[in-house]
């Protein structure tokens, strides 16, 4: 079946005064370029997160049947990981390079995994494969990437999203996926642009711009988890 992904304009810019560039001890244009690059990375991470987190395949922490059934012990642990990986395997979700799935989770979630004796820290295998940025370890043929970009929800926010009730103070969401789970459709590769000078050369504007969209290709290849965490 044909999959359609809508593309839109994306961009951000910074305006710098000629006075600042002439009087600052810093490389103002260089610093502005770095900030724009960081902004682009955050925008892409956020868009990717919002797309894949919308999957209807959900696993609740520590084997809970629903968000309402979750307690403070419904954390991101080996039970949660095995449940998510089992769904991907049963859905015949292809592994990356035929070897591993990928999970993106919060630092609070992965704190529990590091206590498991079967957890393989990244420094034990990083000489054998190219690493993802933020990669921290491996378990059950799944590579884990740690980020603060995944949702850290209050109890009220969990109830608003999942319905029912929610006992823990906070709930964090993570996502597991295999190959061909989502697509990034690019009509124009992102590029840095200079809008020239305005007001008789008093200001200069630089920014990044691109045209793209993201969407799910195969929902069977994605699993979202909700687990209990603390503040």
């Amino acid at each position: 079946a044909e999959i359609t992904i809508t593309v839109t304009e994306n961009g951000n810019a910074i305006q710098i005064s000629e006075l600042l560039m002439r009087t600052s001890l810093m490389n103002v244009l260089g610093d502005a370029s770095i900030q724009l690059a960081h902004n682009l990375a955050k925008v892409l991470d956020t868009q990717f997160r919002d797309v894949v987190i919308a999957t209807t395949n959900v696993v609740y922490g520590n084997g809970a049947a629903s968000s309402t059934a979750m307690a403070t012990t419904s954390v991101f642990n080996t039970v949660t990981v095995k449940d998510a990986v089992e769904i991907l395997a049963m859905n015949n979700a292809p592994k990356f390079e035929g070897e591993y799935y990928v999970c993106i989770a919060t630092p609070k979630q992965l704190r529990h995994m590091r206590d498991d004796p079967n957890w393989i820290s990244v420094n034990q295998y990083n000489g054998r494969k190219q690493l993802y940025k933020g990669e921290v370890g491996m378990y059950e043929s799944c590579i884990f990437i740690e980020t603060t970009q995944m949702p850290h929800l209050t109890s009220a926010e969990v109830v608003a999203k999942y319905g029912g009730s929610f006992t823990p103070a906070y709930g964090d969401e993570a996502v597991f996926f295999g190959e061909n789970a989502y697509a990034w459709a690019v009509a124009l590769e992102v590029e840095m642009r200079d809008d020239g000078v305005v007001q008789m050369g008093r200001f200069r504007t630089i920014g990044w711009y691109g045209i793209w969209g993201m969407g799910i290709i195969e929902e069977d290849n994605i699993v979202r988890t909700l687990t209990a965490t603390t503040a």
Side-chain angles (χ1 to χ4, degrees), residues 1-4 217:
E2 184 178 273
I3 297 173
T4 301
I217 297 179

Side-chain angles (χ1 to χ4, degrees), residues 52 83 137 149 188-189 191:
V52 296
D83 286 347
Q149 296 299 313
L188 175 66
E189 292 279 359
E191 57 189 22

Side-chain angles (χ1 to χ4, degrees), residues 17-230:
S17 70
E18 185 73 14
L19 175 63
L20 178 61
M21 288 191 291
R22 296 292 183 180
T23 59
S24 176
L25 297 177
M26 310 298 293
N27 180 356
V28 178
L29 282 176
D31 290 344
S33 298
I34 292 173
Q35 291 302 312
L36 286 168
H38 290 166
N39 175 251
L40 169 61
K42 187 173 182 178
V43 167
L44 289 173
D45 284 350
T46 301
Q47 291 180 351
F48 162 75
R49 176 201 66 195
D50 292 345
V51 165
V52 296
I53 211 72
T55 178
T56 57
N57 300 322
V58 184
V59 165
Y60 301 97
N62 199 22
S66 66
S67 59
T68 300
M70 290 175 62
T72 55
T73 55
S74 302
V75 296
F76 190 95
N77 57 12
T78 57
V79 174
T80 310
V81 173
K82 289 177 181 178
D83 286 347
V85 170
E86 179 183 10
I87 291 176
L88 292 176
M90 289 299 294
N91 289 343
N92 294 314
K95 294 180 178 180
F96 290 96
E97 300 179 0
E99 296 182 5
Y100 57 88
Y101 296 123
V102 172
C103 171
I104 303 178
T106 70
K108 286 184 176 292
Q109 290 174 312
L110 295 179
R111 169 65 180 83
H112 294 281
M113 291 300 301
R114 288 186 173 94
D115 291 334
D116 190 274
N118 292 318
W119 170 264
I120 304 175
S121 178
V122 67
N123 59 19
Q124 295 177 258
Y125 65 85
N126 63 6
R128 295 191 290 109
K129 62 169 72 252
Q130 182 179 357
L131 303 181
Y132 294 94
K133 183 177 180 180
E135 182 177 346
V136 293
M138 176 183 288
Y139 181 82
E140 285 288 305
S141 299
C142 184
I143 284 177
F144 292 85
I145 298 173
E146 186 177 82
T147 177
T148 57
Q149 296 299 313
M150 296 304 291
H152 177 62
L153 308 173
T154 65
S155 177
E157 289 172 332
V158 172
V159 171
K161 183 171 184 177
Y162 289 85
S165 60
F166 190 72
T167 301
Y170 291 87
D172 282 14
E173 291 179 314
V175 65
F176 292 74
F177 56 95
E179 279 193 330
N180 301 321
Y182 75 100
W184 180 23
V186 180
L188 175 66
E189 292 279 359
V190 65
E191 57 189 22
M192 293 294 292
R193 292 189 172 186
D194 187 333
D195 199 26
V197 294
V198 296
Q199 293 189 20
M200 302 297 292
R202 292 183 58 231
F203 295 95
R204 179 184 298 273
T205 303
I206 61 171
W208 61 265
Y209 176 80
I211 303 175
W212 66 73
M214 295 186 185
I216 291 177
I217 297 179
E218 182 53 73
E219 192 165 7
D220 283 348
N221 298 352
I222 309 174
V223 176
R224 167 170 38 111
T225 64
L226 174 69
T227 56
T229 59
T230 56

